Amino acid sequence: ALGVIQGLSGIAGVLVGGIIGDRLGARDPRAYVLLPAVAGLIVAPLYTWAMLTPSAVMALGLLALPSFFHNLYFGPMFALLMGIVHPRNRATTAAIYGIFTSLIGLGLGPFGLGLMSDVFNHALGMGEAVGLRWAMVWSNAVILGAATLFWFASKTVRKDLVS
């Protein structure tokens, strides 16, 4: 159920983010970074709400919202990447971006979450389920940090564009 909910809402978020990014980015390129910044500010409280709700059914339903908003960044981010590098470097840029997002998102992300879960579980004595829950809540710090960096990027994105 979780895979279907997050998969469908994630697909919708990617598509809507691309459409919004194209429309707003055509008027002002700052939209490419402000859309992910605003989405991150929306994701964090929604994700926290889903993690802290006592009902598994309600949590599953609530997870559709942060999954949607979290995936809004995808289209604008790729559009921006292709706009800040020279056309002859776009394939390399996409490859490097893919490597780093995979290393961080699929490598360090689960490792860091597991480490936090172990600390909350063992060092703080919360127990496995509660420790994991709070580790997932605290992982929102990464999302809020990214939203902050996107906000700062909006200050220079106009002059960073090559094409």
Side-chain angles (χ1 to χ4, degrees):
L2 179 62
V4 171
I5 289 167
Q6 289 196 298
L8 292 176
S9 60
I11 290 168
V14 169
L15 292 172
V16 169
I19 292 166
I20 293 171
D22 280 341
R23 288 188 180 160
L24 297 180
R27 288 186 232 149
D28 186 350
R30 291 179 302 171
Y32 293 125
V33 288
L34 290 175
L35 179 61
V38 171
L41 295 175
I42 294 170
V43 166
L46 290 175
Y47 190 65
T48 299
W49 185 20
M51 289 297 107
L52 296 179
T53 188
S55 164
V57 173
M58 186 173 177
L60 284 172
L62 286 172
L63 284 171
L65 293 171
S67 179
F68 173 84
F69 285 105
H70 178 75
N71 285 289
L72 286 176
Y73 89 96
F74 213 85
M77 183 52 38
F78 270 105
L80 180 62
L81 280 175
M82 297 306 108
I84 63 173
V85 298
H86 194 275
R88 70 174 174 263
N89 297 331
R90 288 181 178 161
T92 303
T93 299
I96 291 170
Y97 177 75
I99 289 168
F100 277 98
T101 56
S102 294
L103 287 174
I104 293 169
L106 300 175
L108 291 178
F111 174 76
L113 188 66
L115 188 63
M116 276 196 305
S117 176
D118 287 346
V119 167
F120 290 148
N121 175 14
H122 300 295
L124 299 178
M126 291 183 173
E128 290 178 12
V130 175
L132 178 60
R133 173 182 283 181
W134 280 103
M136 293 176 84
V137 168
W138 276 98
S139 72
N140 281 317
V142 174
I143 295 169
L144 293 173
T148 302
L149 294 174
F150 280 123
W151 178 264
F152 284 127
S154 73
K155 307 299 181 201
T156 62
V157 72
R158 287 179 176 152
K159 68 180 179 180
D160 294 335
L161 290 173
V162 174
S163 60

Coordinates of all heavy atoms in Angstrom, one line a residue, residues 92-140:
T92 N 27.3 15.2 -19.0 CA 28.2 15.0 -17.9 C 27.6 15.5 -16.6 O 27.6 14.9 -15.6 CB 29.6 15.6 -18.1 OG1 30.1 15.1 -19.3 CG2 30.5 15.4 -17.0
T93 N 27.0 16.7 -16.7 CA 26.3 17.3 -15.5 C 25.2 16.4 -15.0 O 25.1 16.1 -13.8 CB 25.8 18.7 -15.9 OG1 26.9 19.5 -16.3 CG2 25.0 19.3 -14.7
A94 N 24.4 15.9 -16.0 CA 23.3 15.0 -15.6 C 23.8 13.7 -14.9 O 23.3 13.2 -13.9 CB 22.4 14.6 -16.8
A95 N 24.9 13.2 -15.5 CA 25.5 12.0 -14.9 C 26.1 12.2 -13.5 O 25.8 11.4 -12.6 CB 26.7 11.5 -15.8
I96 N 26.8 13.3 -13.3 CA 27.3 13.6 -12.0 C 26.2 13.9 -11.0 O 26.2 13.4 -9.8 CB 28.2 14.9 -12.1 CG1 29.5 14.5 -12.8 CG2 28.6 15.4 -10.7 CD1 30.4 15.6 -13.2
Y97 N 25.1 14.6 -11.4 CA 24.0 14.8 -10.6 C 23.4 13.5 -10.1 O 23.0 13.2 -9.0 CB 22.9 15.7 -11.3 CG 21.7 15.9 -10.5 CD1 21.7 16.8 -9.4 CD2 20.5 15.2 -10.8 CE1 20.5 17.0 -8.7 CE2 19.3 15.4 -10.1 CZ 19.3 16.3 -9.0 OH 18.2 16.5 -8.3
G98 N 23.2 12.6 -11.1 CA 22.7 11.2 -10.8 C 23.5 10.4 -9.8 O 23.0 9.8 -8.9
I99 N 24.8 10.5 -10.0 CA 25.7 9.8 -9.1 C 25.6 10.4 -7.7 O 25.4 9.6 -6.7 CB 27.2 9.9 -9.6 CG1 27.4 9.1 -10.8 CG2 28.2 9.5 -8.5 CD1 28.7 9.4 -11.5
F100 N 25.6 11.7 -7.5 CA 25.6 12.2 -6.2 C 24.2 12.1 -5.5 O 24.2 11.8 -4.3 CB 26.0 13.7 -6.2 CG 27.5 13.9 -6.2 CD1 28.2 14.1 -7.3 CD2 28.2 13.8 -5.0 CE1 29.6 14.3 -7.3 CE2 29.5 13.9 -4.9 CZ 30.2 14.2 -6.1
T101 N 23.1 12.2 -6.3 CA 21.8 12.0 -5.7 C 21.7 10.5 -5.3 O 21.1 10.2 -4.2 CB 20.7 12.4 -6.6 OG1 20.8 11.7 -7.8 CG2 20.7 13.9 -6.8
S102 N 22.2 9.6 -6.0 CA 22.2 8.2 -5.7 C 23.0 7.9 -4.5 O 22.6 7.2 -3.5 CB 22.6 7.3 -6.8 OG 21.7 7.4 -7.9
L103 N 24.2 8.4 -4.4 CA 25.1 8.2 -3.3 C 24.5 8.7 -2.0 O 24.6 8.1 -1.0 CB 26.5 8.8 -3.5 CG 27.4 8.1 -4.5 CD1 28.7 8.9 -4.8 CD2 27.7 6.7 -4.1
I104 N 24.0 9.9 -2.1 CA 23.5 10.6 -0.9 C 22.1 10.0 -0.6 O 21.8 9.6 0.6 CB 23.4 12.1 -1.1 CG1 24.8 12.7 -1.2 CG2 22.6 12.7 0.1 CD1 24.9 14.1 -1.6
G105 N 21.2 10.0 -1.5 CA 19.8 9.5 -1.3 C 19.7 8.0 -1.0 O 18.9 7.6 -0.1
L106 N 20.5 7.2 -1.7 CA 20.3 5.8 -1.5 C 21.5 5.2 -0.7 O 21.3 4.0 -0.2 CB 20.4 5.1 -2.9 CG 19.3 5.5 -3.9 CD1 19.5 4.8 -5.2 CD2 17.9 5.1 -3.3
G107 N 22.5 6.0 -0.4 CA 23.6 5.5 0.4 C 23.6 6.1 1.8 O 23.4 5.4 2.8
L108 N 23.9 7.4 1.8 CA 24.0 8.1 3.1 C 22.6 8.2 3.8 O 22.6 8.2 5.0 CB 24.7 9.4 3.0 CG 26.1 9.4 2.6 CD1 26.6 10.8 2.4 CD2 26.9 8.7 3.6
G109 N 21.6 8.4 3.0 CA 20.2 8.6 3.6 C 19.8 7.5 4.5 O 19.6 7.6 5.7
P110 N 19.7 6.2 3.9 CA 19.3 5.1 4.8 C 20.3 4.8 5.9 O 19.9 4.5 7.0 CB 19.3 3.9 3.8 CG 19.0 4.6 2.5 CD 19.8 5.9 2.5
F111 N 21.6 5.0 5.6 CA 22.6 4.8 6.7 C 22.4 5.8 7.8 O 22.4 5.4 9.0 CB 24.0 4.9 6.1 CG 25.1 4.8 7.1 CD1 25.5 3.6 7.7 CD2 25.7 6.0 7.6 CE1 26.4 3.6 8.7 CE2 26.7 6.0 8.5 CZ 27.1 4.7 9.1
G112 N 22.3 7.1 7.5 CA 22.1 8.1 8.5 C 20.8 7.9 9.3 O 20.7 8.0 10.5
L113 N 19.7 7.5 8.6 CA 18.4 7.2 9.3 C 18.6 6.0 10.2 O 18.1 6.1 11.3 CB 17.3 7.0 8.2 CG 15.9 6.9 8.8 CD1 15.5 8.2 9.3 CD2 15.0 6.4 7.7
G114 N 19.2 5.0 9.8 CA 19.5 3.8 10.6 C 20.3 4.2 11.8 O 20.0 3.7 12.9
L115 N 21.3 5.0 11.6 CA 22.2 5.4 12.7 C 21.4 6.2 13.7 O 21.5 6.0 15.0 CB 23.4 6.2 12.2 CG 24.5 6.6 13.2 CD1 25.1 5.4 13.7 CD2 25.5 7.5 12.5
M116 N 20.6 7.2 13.3 CA 19.7 7.9 14.2 C 18.8 7.0 14.9 O 18.5 7.2 16.1 CB 19.0 9.0 13.4 CG 19.7 10.3 13.2 SD 18.6 11.7 12.7 CE 17.8 11.1 11.3
S117 N 18.2 6.1 14.2 CA 17.2 5.2 14.8 C 17.9 4.4 15.9 O 17.3 4.2 17.0 CB 16.7 4.2 13.7 OG 15.8 3.3 14.3
D118 N 19.1 3.9 15.6 CA 19.9 3.1 16.7 C 20.1 4.0 17.9 O 20.0 3.5 19.0 CB 21.2 2.6 16.1 CG 20.9 1.4 15.2 OD1 19.8 0.9 15.1 OD2 21.9 1.1 14.4
V119 N 20.5 5.3 17.7 CA 20.8 6.2 18.8 C 19.5 6.4 19.6 O 19.5 6.3 20.8 CB 21.4 7.5 18.3 CG1 21.4 8.6 19.4 CG2 22.8 7.3 17.7
F120 N 18.4 6.7 18.9 CA 17.2 6.9 19.6 C 16.7 5.6 20.4 O 16.2 5.7 21.5 CB 16.1 7.4 18.7 CG 16.3 8.8 18.2 CD1 15.8 9.1 16.9 CD2 16.9 9.7 19.0 CE1 16.0 10.4 16.5 CE2 17.1 11.0 18.5 CZ 16.6 11.4 17.2
N121 N 16.9 4.5 19.7 CA 16.5 3.2 20.3 C 17.4 2.8 21.5 O 16.8 2.6 22.5 CB 16.6 2.1 19.2 CG 16.3 0.7 19.7 OD1 15.8 0.5 20.8 ND2 16.6 -0.3 18.9
H122 N 18.7 2.7 21.3 CA 19.6 2.2 22.3 C 20.0 3.3 23.3 O 19.9 3.1 24.5 CB 20.8 1.5 21.7 CG 20.4 0.3 20.8 ND1 19.8 -0.8 21.3 CD2 20.5 0.2 19.4 CE1 19.5 -1.6 20.3 NE2 20.0 -1.1 19.2
A123 N 20.6 4.3 22.8 CA 21.2 5.3 23.6 C 20.1 6.1 24.4 O 20.4 6.4 25.6 CB 22.1 6.3 22.9
L124 N 19.0 6.3 23.8 CA 18.0 7.1 24.5 C 16.8 6.2 25.0 O 15.9 6.7 25.7 CB 17.4 8.2 23.5 CG 18.4 9.2 23.1 CD1 17.7 10.2 22.1 CD2 19.0 10.0 24.2
G125 N 16.9 4.9 24.7 CA 16.0 3.9 25.3 C 14.6 4.1 24.8 O 13.6 3.7 25.5
M126 N 14.4 4.5 23.6 CA 13.0 4.7 23.1 C 12.4 3.4 22.6 O 11.1 3.4 22.4 CB 13.0 5.8 21.9 CG 13.3 7.1 22.3 SD 13.2 8.2 20.9 CE 13.4 9.8 21.7
G127 N 13.2 2.5 22.3 CA 12.6 1.2 21.7 C 12.7 1.3 20.1 O 12.9 2.4 19.6
E128 N 12.6 0.2 19.5 CA 12.8 0.1 18.0 C 11.8 1.0 17.2 O 12.2 1.8 16.4 CB 12.8 -1.3 17.5 CG 14.0 -2.1 18.0 CD 13.9 -3.6 17.5 OE1 13.0 -3.9 16.7 OE2 14.7 -4.4 18.0
A129 N 10.5 0.8 17.5 CA 9.5 1.5 16.7 C 9.5 3.0 16.9 O 9.5 3.8 16.0 CB 8.2 0.9 16.9
V130 N 9.6 3.3 18.2 CA 9.5 4.8 18.5 C 10.8 5.4 18.1 O 10.8 6.6 17.6 CB 9.3 5.0 20.0 CG1 9.4 6.4 20.4 CG2 7.9 4.4 20.4
G131 N 12.0 4.7 18.3 CA 13.3 5.3 17.8 C 13.3 5.5 16.3 O 13.8 6.6 15.9
L132 N 12.8 4.6 15.6 CA 12.7 4.8 14.1 C 11.8 5.9 13.7 O 12.1 6.7 12.9 CB 12.2 3.5 13.4 CG 12.1 3.5 11.9 CD1 13.4 3.9 11.2 CD2 11.6 2.2 11.4
R133 N 10.6 6.0 14.4 CA 9.7 7.0 14.1 C 10.3 8.4 14.3 O 10.2 9.3 13.5 CB 8.4 6.9 15.0 CG 7.5 8.1 14.9 CD 6.3 7.9 15.9 NE 5.4 7.0 15.3 CZ 4.3 6.6 15.9 NH1 3.9 7.1 17.0 NH2 3.5 5.7 15.3
W134 N 11.0 8.6 15.5 CA 11.6 9.9 15.7 C 12.8 10.2 14.8 O 13.1 11.3 14.5 CB 12.0 10.0 17.2 CG 10.7 10.4 18.0 CD1 10.0 9.6 18.7 CD2 10.1 11.7 17.9 NE1 8.9 10.2 19.2 CE2 8.9 11.5 18.8 CE3 10.4 12.9 17.4 CZ2 8.1 12.6 19.0 CZ3 9.5 13.9 17.6 CH2 8.3 13.8 18.4
A135 N 13.5 9.1 14.4 CA 14.6 9.3 13.4 C 14.0 9.8 12.1 O 14.6 10.7 11.5 CB 15.4 8.0 13.2
M136 N 12.9 9.3 11.7 CA 12.2 9.7 10.5 C 11.7 11.2 10.6 O 11.8 11.9 9.7 CB 11.1 8.8 10.1 CG 11.7 7.4 9.7 SD 10.4 6.2 9.4 CE 10.1 6.6 7.7
V137 N 11.2 11.5 11.8 CA 10.8 12.9 12.0 C 12.0 13.8 11.9 O 12.0 14.9 11.2 CB 10.1 13.0 13.3 CG1 9.9 14.5 13.7 CG2 8.7 12.3 13.3
W138 N 13.1 13.5 12.6 CA 14.3 14.3 12.6 C 15.0 14.4 11.2 O 15.7 15.3 10.9 CB 15.3 13.9 13.6 CG 15.0 14.4 15.0 CD1 14.3 13.8 16.0 CD2 15.2 15.7 15.4 NE1 14.1 14.7 17.0 CE2 14.7 15.9 16.7 CE3 15.9 16.8 14.9 CZ2 14.8 17.0 17.5 CZ3 16.0 18.0 15.6 CH2 15.4 18.1 16.9
S139 N 14.7 13.4 10.3 CA 15.2 13.5 9.0 C 14.7 14.7 8.2 O 15.3 15.1 7.2 CB 15.0 12.2 8.2 OG 13.6 12.0 7.9
N140 N 13.6 15.3 8.7 CA 13.1 16.5 8.1 C 14.1 17.6 8.1 O 14.0 18.6 7.3 CB 11.8 17.0 8.8 CG 10.6 16.2 8.3 OD1 10.5 15.9 7.2 ND2 9.8 15.8 9.3

